[in-house]
Amino acid sequence: MLDENFEVVVIGAGPAGSRTAALTARAGLSTLLLEKRKKIGFPVRCAEGIGPREEVERFLDLDDDLISSTIDRFAVVSPGGRRFEAEKRGIGFIVDRELFDRRLADLAAEAGAEVRTSHQVTGLLRNDHRFTGVEVTDLGSGRSYTAGALVTAGADGVESISPRWAGLKGAYRPREVMSGAQYLIDGMETDDRKIEFHLGRRFAPGGYAWVFPKRPGTANVGVGVNPEMAGGLNAVDYLERFIKSRCPGAGRGRLVVGGTVVARGLPSLAAGGFIAVGEAANQNNPFSGGGIINALEGADLAAETAVEAIREGDVSARSLGRYTKKWKKSTGRANELFWHAARSFYAMEDDEMEKIIAKLKDTPGLITDTGVDPLRILRVLVSTRPGLVFRLVPALVKR
Amino acid sequence: MKEAHSEIDIDRGKCIVCGACSAVCPGEALIIEGMTLRVYPERCRPCGQAALVCPTGALHCPGEE
Ligand SMILES: Cc1cc2nc3c(=O)[nH]c(=O)nc-3n(C[C@H](O)[C@H](O)[C@H](O)COP(=O)(O)OP(=O)(O)OC[C@H]3O[C@@H](n4cnc5c(N)ncnc54)[C@H](O)[C@@H]3O)c2cc1C
Ligand code: SF4
């Protein structure tokens, strides 16, 4: 017998989970949001960069207390040290990610979701037809219990074991997880309205190094590397190298490390009674690793589908599969293009990358209102690697 | 570069409990429980993959190259 019953149980109170829970609760469904951490949003595992206001405010008000700095400019530095600079007012924000995540969880609670921290999901329940809820351990008391659900949403982030339990994916290959490390650096030379991306094997093989300013003189300075290209070094080793070059002698605050999923989209995001959302569902942008906004977008589609399915009384894989379709038609499509672009771009030797960056620099329309246009990147990549076009055809014509 | 390890070895002073290794470990031998990284050695295959991903160099796995 089940200890408790809900219409929706959500695993993980990151952006994906909190947003999903807020929407299902707002639609009147009884919703339980389970988070294993003691404190939502802490510790932060993020560079805290996020898109323009219109984009963020589709999901929550970007109140002043959430904003550390407003970004109007960015620089891409090539392996050889050439700079590509562009300006676009309000192209993004550096946020206080801890507050950001807490705000989203508060919105879920205000909508009527029951939020439990220090409660870890340890398994999924199932009957012959579908997944029917979760096994939970209260880490405070050590007590274990079961909670039934018509729909369980796995929003458990990078570790994301729940979609594995549901058979939607396996373990990641190392190259599918960008390995990241970052210090909050104090007393460095920065333009507090400009973000920087540094490319090349020296600082970030298969990824990039970044400077995201939090306030004048203070920035998140980090690197993300492809573990299979790192030659036996780890992200912290590369970070040391980058700091030595970019801001030697500056003061160091908190160290942030973590992995980000940069894998290709999943074929299916739903099983009977189960949906995967956010990073757990490979919804991050595979080119940048960015996943906050994508997690919120995924949550909107996931919650909308879960609400419909529960109202119709059909939470089968087929019914919940509408969510996969919606995702693939929207951000999933852009992500597929970004994935192809990333695969070619980050594998390049420094000299080839140098040439590509020079070409990108002269590409009109590369910068859109919400970031970069994957098609423009691909066009430039195809111009130097014509073979790529064959791999791209399915991504371009399908759907 | 790294020495061979016969079992999963975590330098707790370096581990920041980020969960990157957990995402890659096929056997679910590395699980973040609350705020600690718990190891289930009997589930290790071993494949050496998770150690590659660790951002801090805290983790060594059997089978690592
Ligand atoms: C170093 C680094 C820098 C980054 N920088 C950026 C950036 O600048 N901009 C950007 O957009 N993205 C960035 N990202 C990616 C971004 O942080 C993630 O994509 C985003 O957090 C995904 O949101 P989510 O809700 O899917 O998962 P998370 O935010 O990871 O939330 C998942 C939650 O589930 C909980 N959980 C896991 N397992 C269980 C369980 N069994 N039971 C209960 N709870 C569980 C976790 O504790 C966690 O709170 C960065 C990532 C890293 C590592
Ligand atoms: S990847 Fe490294 S730092 Fe992160 S939890 Fe695993 S052992 Fe700890």
Side-chain angles (χ1 to χ4, degrees), chain A residues 36-37 42-43 45 120 139 158-159 161 164-165 171-174 177 179-180 227-228 231-232 234-236 255 257-259, chain B residues 1-2 14 16-20 22-28 30-35 49-50 52-58:
Chain A
K36 69 178 175 187
R37 293 175 171 190
F42 181 84
R45 308 228 177 277
Q120 175 147 358
L139 298 169
V158 63
E159 305 141 56
I161 294 185
R164 281 159 72 173
W165 292 331
Y172 292 109
R173 299 185 181 201
V177 179
S179 181
E228 294 182 27
N234 52 61
V236 170
L255 172 66
V257 308
Chain B
M1 211 142 208
K2 286 170 181 162
K14 282 188 183 169
I16 294 193
V17 199
C18 70
S22 190
V24 168
C25 177
E28 297 179 25
L30 298 156
I31 301 284
I32 308 289
E33 291 185 3
M35 303 298 270
Q49 300 289 285
L52 279 179
V53 178
C54 174
T56 63

Side-chain angles (χ1 to χ4, degrees), chain B residues 3-64:
Chain B
E3 30 178 322
H5 288 256
S6 61
E7 51 188 59
I8 299 173
D9 176 15
I10 295 162
D11 180 340
R12 298 281 172 182
K14 282 188 183 169
C15 173
I16 294 193
V17 199
C18 70
C21 53
S22 190
V24 168
C25 177
E28 297 179 25
L30 298 156
I31 301 284
I32 308 289
E33 291 185 3
M35 303 298 270
T36 52
L37 174 62
R38 174 103 178 259
V39 182
Y40 294 86
E42 70 284 2
R43 301 184 190 164
C44 177
R45 300 275 165 103
C47 70
Q49 300 289 285
L52 279 179
V53 178
C54 174
T56 63
L59 176 66
H60 292 287
C61 297
E64 227 174 297

Side-chain angles (χ1 to χ4, degrees), chain A residues 10-18 34-37 40-41 45-50 97 101 119-122 155-161 165 178 180-182 208 210 212 223 256-261 277-281 284 288-295, chain B residues 32 34:
Chain A
V10 182
I11 310 170
S18 290
L34 295 164
E35 169 55 54
K36 69 178 175 187
R37 293 175 171 190
I40 285 166
R45 308 228 177 277
C46 188
E48 308 180 295
I50 198 163
R97 178 73 197 271
D101 281 18
H119 283 234
Q120 175 147 358
V121 173
T122 55
D156 37 352
V158 63
E159 305 141 56
S160 54
I161 294 185
W165 292 331
M178 194 192 260
Q182 162 187 289
Y208 57 90
W210 63 83
F212 285 6
V223 302
V256 165
V257 308
T260 317
V261 176
V277 198
E279 186 150 12
N284 288 38
S288 67
I292 304 171
I293 293 291
N294 287 14
Chain B
I32 308 289

Side-chain angles (χ1 to χ4, degrees), chain A residues 59-389:
Chain A
F59 309 102
L60 79 166
D61 292 333
L62 198 50
D63 296 332
D64 287 347
D65 61 338
L66 296 179
I67 300 174
S68 301
S69 59
T70 305
I71 303 305
D72 296 329
R73 292 181 275 283
F74 69 92
V76 174
V77 183
S78 73
R82 261 196 280 172
R83 298 176 80 87
F84 161 35
E85 306 230 359
E87 181 135 12
K88 189 142 204 155
R89 280 192 91 67
I91 189 155
F93 294 89
I94 308 303
V95 295
D96 180 327
R97 178 73 197 271
E98 187 179 337
L99 268 189
F100 188 88
D101 281 18
R102 283 221 299 275
R103 185 70 39 90
L104 285 164
D106 288 346
L107 289 171
E110 281 162 26
E114 179 159 348
V115 185
R116 295 182 192 160
T117 53
S118 289
H119 283 234
Q120 175 147 358
V121 173
T122 55
L124 296 179
L125 308 171
R126 63 182 306 168
N127 63 21
D128 291 344
H129 311 290
R130 63 173 183 91
F131 293 96
T132 55
V134 293
E135 285 169 0
V136 190
T137 299
D138 173 349
L139 298 169
S141 67
R143 185 183 77 95
S144 290
Y145 62 96
T146 53
L150 296 173
V151 174
T152 301
D156 37 352
V158 63
E159 305 141 56
S160 54
I161 294 185
S162 73
R164 281 159 72 173
W165 292 331
L168 297 178
K169 67 177 191 193
Y172 292 109
R173 299 185 181 201
R175 62 169 167 276
E176 296 178 313
V177 179
M178 194 192 260
S179 181
Q182 162 187 289
Y183 273 112
L184 182 68
I185 296 283
D186 245 341
M188 68 183 286
E189 231 178 85
T190 51
D191 170 343
D192 64 317
R193 291 193 160 251
K194 180 168 35 179
I195 50 177
E196 299 171 22
F197 300 96
H198 297 248
L199 292 157
R201 302 263 168 137
R202 184 153 79 104
F203 298 136
Y208 57 90
W210 63 83
V211 177
F212 285 6
K214 294 277 285 177
R215 38 183 188 273
T218 301
N220 289 330
V221 176
V223 302
V225 305
N226 174 340
E228 294 182 27
M229 291 171 67
L233 300 180
N234 52 61
V236 170
D237 297 330
Y238 282 100
L239 177 59
E240 290 296 343
R241 207 183 265 184
F242 182 56
I243 287 177
K244 214 182 237 171
S245 151
R246 177 61 184 80
C247 44
R252 293 178 188 198
R254 100 189 146 183
L255 172 66
V256 165
V257 308
T260 317
V261 176
V262 287
R264 195 175 192 171
L266 294 174
S268 167
L269 304 176
F274 183 90
I275 47 181
V277 198
E279 186 150 12
N282 293 13
Q283 287 175 337
N284 288 38
N285 178 322
F287 198 82
S288 67
I292 304 171
I293 293 291
N294 287 14
L296 296 171
E297 276 171 348
D300 278 20
L301 302 178
E304 182 186 274
T305 310
V307 170
E308 278 168 19
I310 289 172
R311 287 196 180 135
E312 291 162 8
D314 177 7
V315 295
S316 64
R318 188 142 172 260
S319 169
L320 292 174
R322 285 174 285 180
Y323 160 49
T324 311
K325 290 210 184 95
K326 289 178 199 164
W327 174 258
K328 285 188 178 173
K329 269 197 205 139
S330 55
T331 308
R333 183 162 188 279
N335 270 4
E336 175 71 7
L337 299 175
F338 276 123
W339 181 81
H340 282 285
R343 203 161 87 140
S344 302
F345 183 74
Y346 291 118
M348 285 177 181
E349 296 296 338
D350 282 354
D351 52 348
E352 200 183 348
M353 199 180 265
E354 195 72 42
K355 285 184 212 144
I356 293 286
I357 294 168
K359 279 197 184 177
L360 282 171
K361 193 171 156 168
D362 300 322
T363 304
L366 178 67
I367 312 304
T368 66
D369 288 339
T370 52
V372 291
D373 178 355
L375 273 176
R376 310 263 169 179
I377 303 179
L378 283 168
R379 203 170 293 164
V380 171
L381 291 173
V382 166
S383 72
T384 59
R385 293 192 164 186
L388 179 62
V389 85

